[in-house]
Amino acid sequence: MFQSSRPRGDSHVSIIGAGIAGAWQALLFAQAGHAVTLYERSDAAMTLATSHWAGGMLAPWCEAEASEPVIGRLGLRSLDLWREHFPDTPFNGSLVVAHARDRADFERFAKLTTGHIRLDAQGLRELEPSLEGRFRDGLFYADEGHVEPRRVLPELHARIAAAGGKIQFNSDADADNLDGIVIDCRGLAARDAQPELRGVKGEMIIVETSEVELARPVRLIHPRWPLYVIPRGDGKFMLGATSIEAEDTGVSVRSALELLGAAYAVHPAFAEARIVEFGSGLRPAYPDNLPRISVDSENITVNGLYRHGFLLAPALAELTLAYVQRGVIDNEVMQCV
């Protein structure tokens, strides 16, 4: 990092977009003493936001299998910020498993990631009794965590208000009509100013069963349909992992079959589970799939979080605050235009 010659002081800050990226920006700026207004085009339920459909996994070590090192660096910092600001965040770790026929892919995942210990069948049984007899071993990433997006977003919004920030829902704000520093966190809606953004569809299914109990996210390695199963409490589980280069909404028949089939491969009791919800969100991504903070005079854009929104948002907010207050620039993430 180096010091910019343009520190921003303690100006009023307007943030557009109350999803996970914008909410963390608003929280850190409000807690640092800035006058903050957060604008959101939808209502407080946030059903139009990509964050509403997210998995909420905080898994920088697992994500290293298919992401650049900067994701791991920012992700590790974000874990500290989640622990600091939300000490009740579940950090029960995450578990990676595979069936014998997919052994090569499992070993490849193990080689490309760190931060795990290998469990034998007995270790798996002790960690997740519901998986007894299902897999001969697994990879346990003990320091990873997860949040439930539909619970943590309202809590973020409440903490912003408690820190003195204002939130205006049902407000389709225009950056050109706002005073002070403007931080654009609109995700794919910012394509009017950043046409290189694209949407990557992530589909999810929520099911409910009393026959499976999991204390942490479980990832199933498979060459065609990798899956994560995330416990949501009260017998509910989120099934996800699709990344489709398409910008339509909804869940396709193919994806539904693959997600449900993969869940059955994790545990046959999922065959009798009740389907509660289907849904999808469009993750905003740049061509390189890396996050970016763009600075243009008083306007700042935070975007391109791709499939790492909940993992990266706290660290990106900290970087933006450091720039505004002290002129610090992170060369891997920030661009001054």
Side-chain angles (χ1 to χ4, degrees):
M1 295 186 180
F2 64 87
Q3 297 288 328
S4 167
S5 61
R6 295 180 60 85
R8 298 299 185 186
D10 56 358
S11 304
H12 179 271
V13 178
S14 298
I15 300 165
I16 309 176
I20 192 62
W24 266 101
Q25 297 280 335
L27 178 64
L28 294 194
F29 272 92
Q31 290 183 340
H34 290 261
V36 170
T37 304
L38 178 61
Y39 298 91
E40 170 54 42
R41 62 176 177 166
S42 66
D43 59 24
M46 296 293 293
T47 55
L48 297 179
T50 301
S51 302
H52 184 77
W53 307 102
M57 289 190 296
L58 310 178
W61 287 279
C62 281
E63 291 301 322
E65 181 263 343
S67 62
E68 297 293 326
V70 65
I71 302 300
R73 174 173 70 86
L74 296 174
L76 289 174
R77 177 55 189 155
S78 285
L79 296 192
D80 293 336
L81 292 168
W82 278 109
R83 289 188 177 98
E84 176 185 345
H85 292 272
F86 294 85
D88 293 333
T89 298
F91 279 93
N92 299 327
S94 56
L95 182 63
V96 174
V97 295
H99 291 291
R101 62 181 178 272
D102 302 315
R103 195 71 195 173
D105 294 289
F106 177 83
E107 293 298 341
R108 175 183 175 276
F109 193 98
K111 290 179 180 178
L112 291 175
T113 61
T114 60
H116 58 76
I117 59 173
R118 191 179 291 258
L119 302 177
D120 59 13
Q122 179 179 344
L124 273 177
R125 182 176 67 250
E126 294 172 353
L127 193 69
E128 294 289 1
S130 285
L131 299 183
E132 181 177 3
R134 301 295 305 159
F135 306 95
R136 74 182 194 187
D137 59 2
L139 304 173
F140 179 44
Y141 298 77
D143 294 324
E144 295 188 334
H146 69 285
V147 295
E148 209 285 80
R150 298 178 189 181
R151 293 179 182 176
V152 80
L153 266 179
E155 189 172 351
L156 269 163
H157 295 158
R159 293 192 182 196
I160 292 164
K166 299 178 181 178
I167 306 177
Q168 295 188 15
F169 292 104
N170 299 306
S171 177
D172 199 2
D174 185 342
D176 294 334
N177 297 326
L178 299 175
D179 296 325
I181 298 168
V182 178
I183 304 176
D184 187 340
C185 299
R186 290 180 294 154
L188 198 59
R191 197 157 47 183
D192 56 352
Q194 296 192 311
E196 67 271 35
L197 282 167
R198 76 186 196 283
V200 180
K201 184 167 70 168
E203 300 156 307
M204 55 83 82
I205 302 175
I206 296 178
V207 300
E208 183 178 29
T209 176
S210 61
E211 297 184 48
V212 181
E213 293 184 9
L214 297 175
R216 55 192 51 79
V218 175
R219 295 182 184 234
L220 176 69
I221 303 299
H222 188 277
R224 286 192 303 108
W225 28 265
L227 171 84
Y228 51 71
V229 180
I230 305 175
R232 286 282 177 88
D234 299 323
K236 293 184 176 65
F237 300 86
M238 176 184 171
L239 314 177
T242 63
S243 291
I244 300 173
E245 294 289 338
E247 296 191 7
D248 63 294
T249 58
V251 179
S252 68
V253 171
R254 172 191 284 182
S255 294
L257 290 172
E258 290 181 347
L259 289 173
L260 294 171
Y264 178 80
V266 170
H267 199 293
F270 280 118
E272 303 301 324
R274 183 173 68 91
I275 296 175
V276 177
E277 183 179 359
F278 290 93
S280 68
L282 293 178
R283 305 151 172 158
Y286 292 111
D288 60 4
N289 292 336
L290 295 178
R292 188 182 306 167
I293 300 173
S294 302
V295 181
D296 182 4
S297 186
E298 293 291 313
N299 293 329
I300 300 172
T301 298
V302 180
N303 215 319
L305 278 66
Y306 185 40
R307 55 194 298 270
H308 307 116
F310 281 78
L311 176 61
L312 299 184
L316 293 176
E318 187 177 59
L319 291 179
T320 308
L321 179 63
Y323 171 74
V324 168
Q325 291 195 322
R326 306 191 305 277
V328 177
I329 293 179
D330 185 315
N331 289 312
E332 277 195 292
V333 180
M334 302 182 74
Q335 295 182 350
C336 296
V337 297

